[in-house]
Amino acid sequence: MSVQVVNKINDLINKIKDIKAEGKTIALVPTMGCLHDGHKSLMLKAKSLADIVIISVFVNPIQFCPGEDYDKYPRTLDNDMLVAQSAGVSIIFAPSVNEMYPGLQKFSDLTMVVPPYELTDIMCGKSRIGHFDGVETVVSKLFNIVQPDYACFGMKDIQQLFLIKKMVKDLNFPVEIISCPLIREESGLALSSRNKYLSAEAKIKAITISQALFAVRDSFNAGIKDAKKLLDTALAVLDKDIELEYLEFVDKETFKTIENIESNTICAIAARINNVRLIDNVLLEV
Ligand code: PAF
């Protein structure tokens, strides 16, 4: 069967009622579109878990900070339909901004879901003020609309994944969050919709982001546990045109910053090349 695009919340709710009445399970993959193989791996995982896979394609304005790429974020619904179809997706929910946030004038008019400050005053949340409030708010709305049994999120956005798991636990959403592995190009570059912004030359430089993380992992495996030394290892590998926003070591279970690295530590990076912001991470474990 071919994938259906649904734009209205009420139409989707009616379809969900029918799906549930048939006793079928639902897996949701929230996305902002511009789908690539990383997203496809989430959809295939979703398909392996549930009878019906629903993806959302919605560039969520309230998770972009002033001056970020909301306006130019690639919108490629025709191609997204092909990718979704090839992964066995049943429904693409692609609402307008007005459908999701009717009459929205300013973000402060909305009821928001806000994660704890200590967990957002690090890594991406530190520079993208309010970003995770926007993410958690839209994901909560999607959970309420779709009522999925499962929801799949990628480990590239590791802080987002951690915060969504916590939100689901704290607010008792009846959904199981499935963590899916980060997918890389053969070069090592983490797949991202924002890779589309990179020129061929910038892409070659961007590859040093994953190479820096792999060098950190190698040094850690060779016995270096000091965060400062591991940071120096990364800096030695990063292309000189790459602007480092952060390289942080956090505990996998608590997301607390770590100075002396033990096992189960996430080493996460955000960096800009030609003003394109990319993120990546690796797990350090013994
Ligand atoms: O990871 C993303 O693409 C977005 O943050 C999400 C989860 C779809 C919410 O808009």
Side-chain angles (χ1 to χ4, degrees):
M1 240 181 40
S2 55
V3 64
Q4 272 183 288
V5 178
V6 178
N7 305 115
K8 297 284 177 204
I9 294 173
N10 279 340
D11 291 346
L12 184 62
I13 288 176
N14 286 332
K15 285 183 190 298
I16 305 272
K17 276 190 191 142
D18 293 344
I19 294 168
K20 298 245 171 197
E22 287 172 29
K24 291 187 171 158
T25 53
I26 298 175
L28 172 70
V29 181
T31 84
M32 296 207 299
C34 191
L35 303 180
H36 49 66
D37 281 352
H39 296 111
K40 189 166 172 181
S41 72
L42 303 181
M43 296 176 216
L44 292 173
K45 179 66 187 175
K47 185 78 187 157
S48 75
L49 294 168
D51 301 314
I52 301 289
V53 177
I54 300 180
I55 71 165
S56 57
V57 170
F58 179 62
V59 185
N60 176 34
I62 68 165
Q63 69 183 72
F64 287 80
C65 302
E68 288 189 347
D69 56 344
Y70 173 69
D71 288 329
K72 73 166 188 175
Y73 198 86
R75 282 134 171 112
T76 59
L77 189 59
D78 287 344
N79 190 59
D80 293 347
M81 286 167 67
L82 296 176
V83 178
Q85 173 82 37
S86 72
V89 170
S90 299
I91 298 174
I92 299 180
F93 177 48
S96 65
V97 171
N98 198 49
E99 182 68 12
M100 285 299 268
Y101 306 116
L104 182 70
Q105 298 291 328
K106 47 186 191 331
F107 297 172
S108 55
D109 289 342
L110 271 178
T111 302
M112 303 282 285
V113 180
V114 181
Y117 176 74
E118 318 81 75
L119 295 173
T120 53
D121 190 36
I122 52 167
M123 297 165 63
C124 294
K126 199 169 178 121
S127 63
R128 305 189 73 192
I129 309 288
H131 165 69
F132 289 114
D133 304 359
V135 170
E136 294 213 335
T137 301
V138 78
V139 170
S140 302
K141 282 171 73 79
L142 291 169
F143 286 171
N144 285 333
I145 295 166
V146 178
Q147 298 185 28
D149 300 280
Y150 306 95
C152 300
F153 292 87
M155 289 166 71
K156 181 170 76 67
D157 295 278
I158 196 78
Q159 190 175 13
Q160 165 173 287
L161 175 62
F162 180 83
L163 291 173
I164 287 172
K165 278 188 177 163
K166 179 161 172 56
M167 175 187 82
V168 161
K169 187 162 167 258
D170 289 352
L171 301 184
N172 304 97
F173 279 101
V175 57
E176 189 179 332
I177 301 300
I178 309 294
S179 313
C180 301
L182 184 159
I183 306 292
R184 301 183 180 284
E185 286 186 358
E186 231 171 272
S187 67
L189 182 69
L191 294 190
S192 163
S193 302
R194 291 189 167 96
N195 291 351
K196 275 223 154 86
Y197 300 145
L198 298 171
S199 65
E201 194 195 341
K203 199 166 175 184
I204 290 167
K205 295 177 179 173
I207 292 167
T208 64
I209 295 175
S210 55
Q211 287 171 343
L213 290 180
F214 300 156
V216 167
R217 193 173 54 195
D218 289 346
S219 299
F220 172 78
N221 288 340
I224 299 185
K225 307 283 185 240
D226 177 63
K228 173 80 186 56
K229 285 192 181 136
L230 291 171
L231 172 64
D232 289 343
T233 305
L235 290 175
V237 174
L238 275 182
D239 186 277
K240 62 172 180 21
D241 290 335
I242 289 188
E243 207 185 303
L244 181 64
E245 183 182 302
Y246 68 75
L247 183 112
E248 289 198 36
F249 298 91
V250 293
D251 182 279
K252 186 182 167 221
E253 303 304 331
T254 62
F255 260 61
K256 295 259 178 300
T257 305
I258 302 175
E259 298 292 328
N260 223 331
I261 321 296
E262 302 293 335
S263 196
N264 284 332
T265 298
I266 293 163
C267 175
I269 190 168
R272 284 174 196 275
I273 172 87
N274 295 354
N275 221 22
V276 178
R277 185 177 183 280
L278 300 173
I279 57 172
D280 197 347
N281 66 83
V282 289
L283 178 64
L284 307 179
E285 56 185 343
V286 243

